[in-house]
Amino acid sequence: MTEKKAKLVIGDKEYEFAILDGTMGPSVIDIRSLYSQTGMFTYDPGFTSTASCDSSITYIDGDKGELLYRGYPIDQLAYDSHYLEVCYLLLYGDLPNKTELEEFENRVTRHTMMHEQMHGFYNGFRRDAHPMAIVCGVVGAMAAFYHDSTDITDPEQREIASIRMIAKIPTIVAAAYKYSIGQPFVYPRNDLDYASNFLHMCFSVPAEEYKVDPILARAMDRIFTLHADHEQNASTSTVRLSGSSDANPFACIAAGVACLWGPAHGGANEAALNMLREIGTVDRIPEYIEKAKDKNDPFRLMGFGHRVYKSYDPRAKVMQESAKEVLDLLGVENNPTLQVAKELEKIALEDPYFIKRKLYPNVDFYSGIILDAMGFPTSMFTAIFALSRTVGWIAQWKEMIADKQKKIGRPRQLYDGSVKRDYVPLDER
Ligand code: SDX
């Protein structure tokens, strides 16, 4: 079959570039030789039209509101699978059989404790430090304790580092929460599943027996699955760019945590709940909708809009259903924040400003309501997002490191600064 070509005409010259097709989604124009052929760069701040890599892990159809992990639709995985099985799928490409799943779960379970000396890091932080500041620091410091899995050229070490990262992140995040409320750290338990273990490490205290509610554990596990991976989003691109310099995996994940913290990205779940609380009652919604539309006002509807989804984020749909389930279980079904969220969504989706810009609720719009109802402070929301996304960052990092075409990421620029000029001595200025 003849290769498809794209033609580019600059002045009286014509250039040809190959068009590459994936298995789904937009094809790409291979412009790797553009600069050497034309002496020009492409210009795409924010990478709105740029594919930074090829990947077989996650696929999003923004128009259809479709999200697939290794081809499996997110709603099927959220309802029929569970997080560690989804971790296996993202890491190895296929659903595990019973033996493979048991072996994987055992390996993760036996790596959930952190090195005892790592507890000392927490004391270096103020009690009111944001949990993301703590998680970012402690994850980066893992390289100081697990240097036997930092040689990225050794597949065995890459595998151990991956298991360690996925296994320890709940312990690290739960410890950040315990530290912030002045309670003792709780060790993981090998008889609990991943989500139950996290709730146990967050909410149990030495003074009394703590029983994990299976419905809350199910909701927690579903939240982990919904946040596990999402193509080349800002934090995943940060992890890939860090990994392209052969930095160790713990440093790369710490970079991903730092990027996710931004309110335009993973920090939106914390910002969305704070916004819903600030609106407070349904009658104040119109005032905030007008603020969100006002170009002179930096306020945006947090939890709304998305670079890729130009229809309803499929994760938000599942999240909304889970919110109702958890609130009913906890007997807070007429939760005022949920009422404001539903009314805000309804009004925004009927407003021409949002319709024209295809702005819909995203994954962060409802997640905060569930986490709040489960007893987490808003400051913990993004740390829980980081916990969930760790498997996605690791899977994407592993794919990049194993890629034969791997090169250090080094974008160029359109320079619009001063032209060359000579230094002026101080007494002549
Ligand atoms: C996540 O990339 C991912 O996959 C991320 C994520 C993942 O799983 O990794 O899905 C997780 O980060 C979800 C997004 C969480 N962020 C928020 O909810 C913050 C609020 N949303 C916006 O900041 C914004 O929608 C972004 C950052 C999410 C997307 O921004 P884009 O794609 O760069 O779009 P844009 O800023 O160019 O906006 C297009 C227009 C603009 O208006 P005009 O200049 O065309 O008149 O829409 C407006 C924006 O002003 N707009 C909003 C808005 N989001 C966009 N107006 C009001 N409220 C909003 N939320």
Side-chain angles (χ1 to χ4, degrees):
M1 188 171 83
T2 50
E3 191 181 50
K4 290 192 291 180
K5 294 273 187 193
K7 281 192 175 39
L8 177 65
V9 178
I10 303 176
D12 56 1
K13 285 205 176 136
E14 190 174 285
Y15 304 91
E16 279 198 347
F17 301 94
I19 292 176
L20 310 176
D21 295 330
T23 45
M24 287 192 293
S27 299
V28 297
I29 300 171
D30 183 349
I31 56 161
R32 281 174 288 186
S33 66
L34 178 81
Y35 179 54
S36 60
Q37 284 195 53
T38 70
M40 287 192 183
F41 301 137
T42 58
Y43 182 68
D44 186 16
F47 311 119
T48 49
S49 306
T50 295
S52 61
C53 61
D54 49 86
S55 176
S56 57
I57 300 173
T58 294
Y59 174 73
I60 300 171
D61 183 322
D63 295 327
K64 281 197 230 159
E66 194 173 56
L67 167 57
L68 310 177
Y69 289 167
R70 300 285 189 178
Y72 294 98
I74 188 66
D75 49 343
Q76 292 181 25
L77 293 171
Y79 287 115
D80 304 333
S81 181
H82 64 276
Y83 184 67
L84 276 192
E85 181 173 80
V86 168
C87 287
Y88 185 100
L89 173 66
L90 289 169
L91 288 170
Y92 307 115
D94 283 309
L95 289 170
N97 61 33
K98 203 166 172 328
T99 314
E100 288 162 337
L101 180 59
E102 264 169 32
E103 195 275 328
F104 179 72
E105 289 183 336
N106 281 332
R107 280 175 71 207
V108 171
T109 301
R110 273 154 188 75
H111 279 279
T112 46
M113 285 173 69
M114 65 172 120
H115 189 295
E116 194 65 10
Q117 263 184 268
M118 286 178 69
H119 289 172
F121 284 128
Y122 291 78
N123 295 322
F125 291 98
R126 287 169 44 132
R127 289 282 178 179
D128 61 357
H130 195 288
M132 283 295 273
I134 297 177
V135 171
C136 195
V138 175
V139 167
M142 286 175 76
F145 284 88
Y146 302 108
H147 18 255
D148 61 340
S149 58
T150 52
D151 174 0
I152 57 109
T153 62
D154 176 356
E156 230 340 87
Q157 290 195 34
R158 295 205 299 265
E159 182 64 17
I160 294 169
S162 305
I163 296 292
R164 278 175 166 154
M165 201 60 253
I166 293 162
K168 295 179 197 313
I169 190 73
T171 312
I172 290 168
V173 170
Y177 172 57
K178 284 306 205 185
Y179 185 73
S180 73
I181 57 175
Q183 287 186 358
F185 296 160
V186 174
Y187 288 95
R189 274 178 35 187
N190 292 352
D191 61 328
L192 295 177
D193 64 67
Y194 195 86
S196 302
N197 219 349
F198 177 64
L199 294 176
H200 158 71
M201 290 189 282
C202 288
F203 297 126
S204 74
V205 288
E208 60 185 30
E209 183 65 21
Y210 173 78
K211 206 127 174 47
V212 178
D213 183 311
I215 296 185
L216 292 188
R218 186 77 197 111
M220 189 80 262
D221 188 276
R222 195 173 289 162
I223 287 176
F224 290 164
T225 293
L226 292 171
H227 289 84
D229 193 47
H230 214 238
E231 282 192 8
Q232 306 312 317
N233 58 84
S235 52
T236 298
S237 300
T238 302
V239 170
R240 279 182 171 260
L241 197 55
S242 309
S244 74
S245 73
D246 294 346
N248 75 72
F250 306 114
C252 296
I253 301 303
V257 173
C259 176
L260 185 79
W261 194 359
H265 190 13
N269 54 14
E270 176 178 353
L273 192 80
N274 291 337
M275 172 193 74
L276 293 169
R277 283 221 177 102
E278 187 189 325
I279 295 173
T281 52
V282 169
D283 61 315
R284 296 186 65 201
I285 291 175
E287 171 198 339
Y288 281 84
I289 295 268
E290 288 318 303
K291 275 171 66 69
K293 291 154 59 172
D294 177 358
K295 290 299 164 212
N296 301 318
D297 189 329
F299 174 80
R300 284 195 162 178
L301 279 193
M302 301 316 280
F304 252 79
H306 199 276
R307 170 63 59 77
V308 177
Y309 289 123
K310 298 309 168 192
S311 60
Y312 215 98
D313 182 335
R315 301 168 298 177
K317 270 204 189 88
V318 179
M319 207 65 89
Q320 192 196 55
E321 283 147 22
S322 295
K324 178 122 186 29
E325 204 179 282
V326 167
L327 294 175
D328 287 352
L329 169 90
L330 298 172
V332 284
E333 60 279 2
N334 57 355
N335 174 296
T337 313
L338 182 61
Q339 303 314 326
V340 170
K342 285 183 165 174
E343 189 58 22
L344 174 59
E345 175 189 334
K346 185 170 161 296
I347 296 172
L349 296 187
E350 289 161 0
D351 185 300
Y353 173 93
F354 292 87
I355 295 169
K356 178 171 165 257
R357 292 165 179 80
K358 298 182 179 176
L359 302 174
Y360 290 82
N362 59 49
V363 68
D364 294 309
F365 190 65
Y366 285 104
S367 55
I369 293 169
I370 306 177
L371 295 171
D372 175 59
M374 293 171 88
F376 291 104
T378 47
S379 60
M380 278 294 292
F381 291 3
T382 310
I384 290 170
F385 191 154
L387 185 172
S388 317
R389 183 56 57 87
T390 293
V391 65
W393 289 332
I394 283 286
Q396 300 270 352
W397 171 76
K398 285 180 77 173
E399 182 179 67
M400 179 206 58
I401 294 288
D403 185 340
K404 300 239 176 329
Q405 300 184 79
K406 172 178 166 293
K407 291 173 81 67
I408 188 165
R410 199 335 185 157
R412 302 304 301 270
Q413 63 179 12
L414 173 66
Y415 177 71
D416 54 12
S418 298
V419 294
K420 192 173 166 190
R421 52 184 171 168
D422 294 326
Y423 181 75
V424 179
L426 184 59
D427 54 9
E428 293 174 25
R429 281 179 239 156

